[in-house]
Amino acid sequence: MSYNIEQANSGYLSLTAAGLAEGTNSGTFKTVNTLTFTNNGVFKSKAATDNLALSTGTALAASQACLFAVWINASGTVTTTQGPIVAAGDPCPVPSQTTAGVTLVGLIKITTDSSTTFTPGTTDFSASGITDAFFDCMDMPGSAQ
């Protein structure tokens, strides 16, 4: 909860939904809407962008899940951080922010079935045995998803 207060009080908020979705190329995601956001209280915008890659991550084994947070900085560079890996079906804890000066765009949840693994930046989001879910966010949710 303290992260949300810091994020709002420091002026790092997404003001419109980016429309996170699976990207055109394998293993990528995109935004389908122009994103309006604040960075340190200054209004910014980023046009819809395709074929964004997960910038960090640990592979998921079969029957696991996690959240990836999507972040944007003042210059419009999009990065991601990975939350803790849990058993498929368990609530996924929200990822932490590891870089100062970024605004949360949204979350991507990846779940593997009992016979499939997922390697960030390599495995396609729509591969057989992978379930994905995309969440546009104003700031970080206060609890697991």
Side-chain angles (χ1 to χ4, degrees):
M1 184 66 174
S2 65
Y3 174 74
N4 287 344
I5 293 169
E6 289 174 18
Q7 193 176 21
N9 289 341
S10 299
Y12 295 91
L13 297 172
S14 290
L15 303 174
T16 59
L20 288 174
E22 184 176 349
T24 302
N25 292 346
S26 179
T28 66
F29 64 96
K30 64 182 175 182
T31 60
V32 297
N33 303 320
T34 297
L35 173 67
T36 302
F37 63 101
T38 58
N39 184 281
N40 198 26
V42 177
F43 283 101
K44 303 282 184 177
S45 68
K46 172 82 172 178
T49 306
D50 197 358
N51 298 319
L52 298 163
L54 296 173
S55 54
T56 186
T58 301
L60 279 71
S63 299
Q64 291 186 327
C66 75
L67 290 171
F68 291 88
V70 179
W71 307 94
I72 190 166
N73 68 14
S75 65
T77 302
V78 175
T79 58
T80 61
T81 56
Q82 183 178 9
I85 297 171
V86 299
D90 288 352
C92 292
V94 295
S96 61
Q97 176 190 17
T98 58
T99 305
V102 293
T103 302
L104 180 69
V105 175
L107 298 168
I108 301 170
K109 183 176 182 178
I110 300 293
T111 305
T112 60
D113 70 10
S114 62
S115 62
T116 305
T117 62
F118 178 86
T119 302
T122 302
T123 306
D124 193 50
F125 291 109
S126 63
S128 177
I130 302 294
T131 302
D132 59 10
F134 298 88
F135 306 94
D136 294 313
C137 299
M138 181 183 78
D139 58 13
M140 189 62 78
S143 61
Q145 298 298 302

